[in-house]
Amino acid sequence: MTDVLIHLEDAVLTFTLNREHKKNAFTQAMYTELADALRAAQDNPAVRVVIVQGHETFFSAGNDIADFLQAEGFGMDSPVIDFLQTLSSFKKPVIASVCGPAVGIGSSLLLHCDLVVAGDNAAFSLPFVNLGLCPEAASSLLLPQLMGYHRAAQALLLGEPFMAEAALEVGWVNQVVVPSEANVVAKAWALKLAAKPPSAVMQTKALMKAPQALAIKAVMEQEAMVFARMLKEGPAKEAFSAFLEHRKPDFSKHG
Ligand code: COA
């Protein structure tokens, strides 16, 4: 069974994250598969809308922590950066359906989707600081813009999760529904969009995205540089080892 299920129906391309035993934690191979599928969808007139969805009780546990420990392949030419930049510059609409935990990149990728429906069990968290890391996916730019500096600091510095209703209030998601309805709502939105003239949909998205596109790319690159360095440093190594050893991290010896 593959870790990302890809299904095209009614002009809607659906990515279902499918790495259940690791709560849909992303591997390098998953980023590559998603980026390649997005590039193919961009050029395929049979695709008008993309949906990203997970499991009814978890969206994604973020980047695979065992992969992080390798600390190789997170530079500018890495699969994760390729995926994020491909998603961020994707011209057709992307809808996310999110239930349960959406951790790290599982949350930050939503900032590059056009519509987000959340199950009432959704919990969005960006615990980069807790892992000795810094934000990615231009979340250091987009989150303060979206919710204001202080609430962004609550998410990014304290690493506190935002539950579905709080995410709705700050505009991180469009609608909250019972988990069993999330994919249904996403598909209904997708079918509505797919019935509209594609050129009008894509032009409208392009106009909304254009003013920020360069800034997003630049911030993503800056974040990626810092992130790659921090991955190799003591606090991150301690946080990853602690997670894998099922213990609390001890940062008392780290500056
Ligand atoms: N990387 C690698 N493995 C992960 C993982 C990750 N990001 N998240 C979860 N897993 C693994 C667990 O180690 C566990 O594996 P095991 O059964 O071999 O021990 C399995 O997935 C199930 O996870 P578990 O923690 O038991 O599930 P849960 O339902 O209690 O909690 C989460 C789910 C997502 C809240 C929790 O797993 C979590 O906090 N994960 C880490 C998130 C994180 O920090 N990601 C990095 C962000 S930058």
Side-chain angles (χ1 to χ4, degrees):
M1 191 70 98
T2 131
D3 292 340
V4 182
L5 305 177
I6 302 180
H7 179 68
L8 175 61
E9 190 180 327
D10 304 326
V12 180
L13 187 70
T14 302
F15 299 144
T16 305
L17 306 177
N18 185 46
R19 195 172 175 237
E20 199 162 322
H21 66 297
K22 295 290 179 189
K23 305 283 170 176
N24 288 341
F26 285 97
T27 61
Q28 304 282 312
M30 287 165 78
Y31 295 129
T32 301
E33 196 173 353
L34 287 164
D36 288 347
L38 281 173
R39 274 188 285 270
Q42 188 67 72
D43 297 334
N44 182 357
V47 177
R48 291 188 169 197
V49 185
V50 169
I51 294 177
V52 184
Q53 62 191 27
H55 188 271
E56 215 171 280
T57 59
F58 53 89
F59 180 66
S60 170
N63 199 95
D64 189 288
I65 287 183
D67 264 23
F68 266 159
L69 261 180
Q70 311 295 318
E72 298 303 330
F74 285 88
M76 288 312 300
D77 54 353
S78 63
V80 60
I81 300 299
D82 180 38
F83 164 64
L84 286 171
Q85 294 198 336
T86 307
L87 176 65
S88 155
S89 59
F90 189 66
K91 295 186 171 59
K92 299 176 184 180
V94 181
I95 298 169
S97 166
V98 183
C99 296
V103 188
I105 194 167
S107 267
S108 60
L109 73 81
L110 304 173
L111 298 167
H112 303 281
C113 296
D114 302 289
L115 295 166
V116 183
V117 55
D120 58 17
N121 59 349
F124 304 86
S125 62
L126 298 162
F128 302 114
V129 163
N130 302 349
L131 294 167
L133 296 170
C134 70
E136 35 74 304
S139 54
S140 59
L141 171 73
L142 296 173
L143 224 60
Q145 281 180 355
L146 177 72
M147 55 177 70
Y149 182 84
H150 291 105
R151 282 191 286 202
Q154 198 178 335
L156 288 172
L157 289 177
L158 285 176
E160 281 186 0
F162 275 59
M163 305 312 285
E165 287 299 335
L168 180 66
E169 192 192 320
V170 297
W172 207 340
V173 306
N174 295 84
Q175 194 178 336
V176 175
V177 296
V178 293
S180 58
E181 281 299 303
N183 293 355
V184 178
V185 171
K187 186 66 191 275
W189 285 344
L191 291 177
K192 258 191 199 173
L193 280 166
K196 296 182 191 293
S199 57
V201 169
M202 284 193 282
Q203 276 302 336
T204 302
K205 174 167 177 170
L207 286 163
M208 288 199 289
K209 293 279 182 183
Q212 284 258 93
L214 284 179
I216 287 174
K217 188 162 184 290
V219 171
M220 258 190 212
E221 287 173 4
Q222 175 71 23
E223 289 172 343
M225 236 164 49
V226 180
F227 197 99
R229 172 172 51 76
M230 296 189 91
L231 265 181
K232 297 180 182 151
E233 294 178 346
K237 297 268 186 219
E238 166 59 11
F240 305 152
S241 304
F243 177 78
L244 297 173
E245 290 160 15
H246 305 286
R247 61 172 173 83
K248 272 191 175 334
D250 174 7
F251 297 121
S252 60
K253 296 181 193 68
H254 299 281

